[in-house]
């Protein structure tokens, strides 16, 4: 099956499964997650609202990896290729809980906090829908608009950490312009 021609109902079903995975993973990890450390908060303050920085929780896993969603087997049977393996990523954001496989650098934290802002503005259901739609249209993880935006803003931050900008405004504009 050509996944770019997946029936809308089936795409919606996958978006629902992605949302369930996100919400379920948030519940799984939140009890062991901690607020940003004061130095992390200070580094991120020029770019993120206090509300986002207060809300975000961080967890570095030791001796385990984030598991791929249970529906991946079915998705592969339907012809999905290039599915992102969460066990192979550096970190994954589940609404406001950021789970990492390695210690947080400022750039990694920044990237994942962009996703926290996206979740805050879109909600888990719409984020999941746009994630699936972006994957279907682009054919890969790298082409998902919410990921592309996080990488672009992370690059902007990394190239000049002294120039503050509002991630919330950037996300809001991208949503309004139809880029997310």
């Amino acid at each position: 099956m050509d996944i770019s021609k997946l029936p809308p109902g089936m795409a919606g079903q996958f978006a629902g499964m992605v949302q369930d995975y996100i919400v379920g993973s948030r519940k799984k990890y939140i009890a062991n997650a901690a607020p940003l450390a004061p130095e992390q908060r200070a580094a991120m303050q020029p770019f993120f609202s206090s509300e986002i920085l207060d809300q975000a929780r961080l967890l570095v896993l030791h001796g385990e990896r984030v598991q791929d969603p249970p529906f991946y087997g079915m998705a592969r049977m339907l012809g999905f290729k290039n599915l992102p393996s969460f066990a192979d990523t550096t970190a994954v954001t589940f609404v406001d809980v950021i789970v990492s496989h390695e210690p947080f650098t400022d750039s990694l934290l920044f990237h994942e906090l962009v996703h926290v802002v996206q979740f805050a503005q879109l909600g888990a259901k719409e984020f999941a829908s746009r994630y699936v739609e972006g994957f279907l249209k682009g054919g890969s993880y790298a082409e998902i608009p919410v990921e592309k935006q996080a990488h672009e803003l992370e690059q902007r931050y990394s190239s000049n950490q002294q120039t503050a900008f509002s991630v919330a405004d950037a996300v809001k504009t991208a949503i309004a312009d139809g880029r997310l």
Side-chain angles (χ1 to χ4, degrees):
M1 166 184 282
D2 179 0
I3 63 167
S4 67
K5 308 231 186 310
L6 198 65
M10 190 170 282
Q13 286 180 316
F14 276 108
M17 288 186 270
V18 169
Q19 179 187 359
D20 290 345
Y21 172 74
I22 290 166
V23 172
S25 295
R26 180 189 183 279
K27 287 177 186 172
K28 175 181 177 180
Y29 293 114
I30 194 162
N32 294 317
L36 275 69
E39 61 275 6
Q40 292 170 316
R41 187 181 179 87
M44 298 297 116
Q45 188 69 53
F47 308 94
F48 298 93
S49 70
S50 292
E51 180 181 350
I52 290 294
L53 297 176
D54 290 345
Q55 178 183 343
R57 294 292 180 264
L58 310 178
L59 175 63
V60 178
L61 295 179
H62 300 282
E64 68 175 298
R65 309 294 284 184
V66 172
Q67 296 300 304
D68 288 337
F71 61 82
Y72 264 27
M74 178 180 65
R76 286 186 183 99
M77 288 183 349
L78 290 171
F80 282 77
K81 293 181 173 42
N82 302 325
L83 292 169
S85 175
F86 296 107
D88 295 336
T89 62
T90 305
V92 184
T93 298
F94 301 110
V95 184
D96 55 358
V97 177
I98 304 168
V99 181
S100 181
H101 296 117
E102 60 187 50
F104 283 94
T105 63
D106 285 347
S107 291
L108 173 61
L109 179 58
F110 186 95
H111 177 103
E112 298 303 325
L113 284 170
V114 171
H115 291 312
V116 174
V117 173
Q118 292 167 339
F119 273 111
Q121 292 190 24
L122 293 169
K125 181 177 182 177
E126 188 61 25
F127 183 96
S129 178
R130 290 175 189 226
Y131 205 92
V132 169
E133 181 182 314
F135 182 85
L136 292 174
K137 285 183 179 176
S140 72
Y141 168 82
E143 293 302 315
I144 299 170
V146 295
E147 289 297 342
K148 287 174 77 168
Q149 182 187 43
H151 284 290
E152 289 165 4
L153 294 176
E154 175 193 350
Q155 188 67 3
R156 182 177 169 188
Y157 163 78
S158 294
S159 68
N160 186 359
Q161 296 176 10
Q162 307 314 311
T163 304
F165 63 92
S166 169
V167 170
D169 288 349
V171 171
K172 183 178 180 180
T173 299
I175 291 169
D177 293 348
R179 290 182 282 124
L180 279 191

